[in-house]
């Protein structure tokens, strides 16, 4: 079979579904700060990271953990990669673009998210058996999340070179339309300098 | 065993060094997103073929495993991106585009063949014909994705590449 269904539809499947729906729901309720292009690329990037990590560490020759009910890949693993993992970096980048932490605050910000994500992984592993460790330790995940979130920042800043933040999601633009937005913000009547610089 | 990894690493670094050339035809965000998608699909296809369907058997040596990972994450996506580079180029003729696409599938197949020769992978119930079809399917997906993503970037009014293509 290409992808297996779960053996029993129990705690781990419910955990994946509830966390995915809840985190996407909360994220969609937040005001839009990231462009659709940024969100799409961050989503793809985290999908790749999940595929790479789990298809490297979770298979032979390492085989450090299993996910789901069996050692083979299941439908719920794909849901985990595409819908459960990505909201965490979305939240991280959303609040980063809002608060703009720098220096030690930035380091603390990444550490906080890494700790929170490690905690969530601990709950999913020991409370709901989403993962079964076979040599992996929970504390190994902390530095891995630190690297993952740092890479997310690199990708975010790379994308922002081409996609100005809030360009398509400004309340002004939504209310008055694109033409008015551009004449107001890009032709010198107001708005921030970064948008004008990008246009020229 | 170590040699397979070193050769894969060498060719991966060379292929990364050629990425800037792609910007003559493709937007950096197109290169990034298409590369991410292809690397994910390559790994997913490999995982399904080896773990779930057991049609291909992979070496359990860690160095050979990492050599295979380099192919899935770096080499194959960049080969596909070079195929797209020619296909989406305005200055090429249809015949040269067709040859480039066939060349891309042939290059992907060639890399697999070298891994088979080195003993890194072994086909159990898989054949070279199936491998051609898999590579062609990945290329077709990448073409469809890039066409849609280009429309998406236009819709989102994403700025042009600030690096002029003739400076590369």
């Amino acid at each position: 079979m290409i992808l297996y269904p779960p053996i029993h539809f129990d705690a781990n499947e419910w955990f994946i579904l509830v966390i995915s729906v809840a985190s996407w729901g909360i994220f969609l309720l937040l005001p839009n700060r990231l462009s659709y292009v940024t969100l799409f690329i961050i989503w793809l990037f985290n999908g790749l990271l999940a595929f790479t990590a789990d298809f490297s560490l979770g298979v032979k020759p390492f085989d450090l953990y299993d996910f789901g009910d069996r050692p083979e890949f299941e439908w719920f693993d794909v849901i985990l990669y595409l819908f459960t993992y990505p909201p965490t970096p979305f939240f991280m980048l959303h609040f980063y673009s809002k608060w703009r932490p720098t220096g030690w605050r930035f380091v603390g910000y990444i550490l906080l998210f890494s700790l929170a994500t490690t905690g969530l992984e601990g709950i999913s592993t020991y409370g709901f058996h989403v993962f079964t460790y076979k040599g992996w330790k929970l504390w190994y995940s902390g530095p891995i999340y630190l690297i993952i979130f740092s890479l997310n920042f690199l990708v975010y800043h790379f994308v922002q070179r081409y996609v100005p933040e809030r360009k398509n999601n400004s309340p002004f633009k939504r209310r008055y339309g694109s033409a008015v937005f551009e004449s107001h913000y890009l032709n010198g009547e107001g708005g921030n300098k970064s948008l004008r610089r990008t246009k020229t | 065993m170590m040699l397979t990894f070193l050769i894969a690493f060498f060719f991966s670094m060379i292929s990364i060094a050629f990425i800037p050339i792609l910007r003559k035809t493709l937007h950096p965000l197109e290169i990034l997103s298409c590369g991410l998608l292809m690397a994910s699909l390559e790994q997913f296809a490999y995982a399904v073929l080896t773990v779930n369907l057991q049609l291909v058997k992979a070496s359990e040596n860690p160095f050979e495993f990492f050599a295979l990972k380099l192919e899935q994450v770096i080499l194959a996506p960049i080969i596909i991106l070079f195929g797209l580079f020619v296909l989406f180029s305005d200055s090429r003729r249809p015949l040269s585009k067709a040859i480039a696409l066939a060349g891309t599938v042939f290059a992907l197949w060639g890399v697999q063949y070298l891994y088979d020769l080195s003993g890194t992978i072994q086909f159990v119930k898989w054949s070279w014909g199936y491998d051609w079809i898999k590579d062609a399917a990945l290329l077709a997906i990448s073409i469809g994705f890039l066409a849609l993503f280009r429309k998406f970037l236009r819709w989102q009014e994403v700025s042009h590449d600030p690096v002029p293509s003739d400076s590369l």
Side-chain angles (χ1 to χ4, degrees), chain A residues 1-4 36-37 40-41 44-45 48 51-52 55-56 59-62 72-73 78 158-159 162-163 167-168 173 178 182 198, chain B residues 23 27-29 32-33 36-37 39-40 43-44 47-48 51-53 60 62 65-66 69 145 149 152-153 156-159 161-162:
Chain A
M1 200 175 283
I2 291 176
L3 285 172
Y4 289 91
Y36 294 127
V37 177
F40 180 69
I41 291 178
L44 269 182
F45 180 63
L48 171 68
F51 275 116
T52 307
F55 292 165
S56 303
V59 297
K60 287 178 183 175
F62 304 106
E72 291 88 6
F73 296 109
V78 179
F158 179 75
V159 176
Y162 306 99
V163 186
K167 188 181 172 197
N168 294 296
K173 186 176 179 183
S178 176
E182 281 174 16
T198 315
Chain B
R23 290 173 71 174
H27 190 284
L29 295 184
L32 176 67
S33 57
L36 293 173
L37 180 75
S40 303
Q43 290 188 88
F44 183 66
V48 167
V51 179
N52 282 23
L53 298 173
E60 294 188 2
F65 178 78
F66 282 123
K69 276 283 147 192
F145 171 78
F149 190 69
F152 178 56
L153 289 184
Q156 290 288 297
E157 299 165 9
V158 168
S159 63
D161 188 356

Side-chain angles (χ1 to χ4, degrees), chain B residues 7-19:
Chain B
I7 292 169
F9 183 77
F10 175 73
F11 280 105
S12 300
M13 292 303 110
I14 286 182
S15 58
I16 287 173
F18 279 100
I19 286 179

Side-chain angles (χ1 to χ4, degrees), chain A residues 81-119:
Chain A
Y81 301 146
L82 300 183
F83 298 105
T84 316
Y85 288 150
T88 316
F90 286 176
F91 281 117
M92 185 194 64
L93 294 173
H94 174 91
F95 291 111
Y96 170 77
S97 71
K98 188 175 181 182
W99 295 324
R100 292 277 170 197
T102 51
W104 285 108
R105 285 187 179 182
F106 176 72
V107 176
Y109 185 75
I110 296 191
L111 277 174
L112 190 73
F113 263 91
S114 303
L115 274 174
T117 316
T118 310

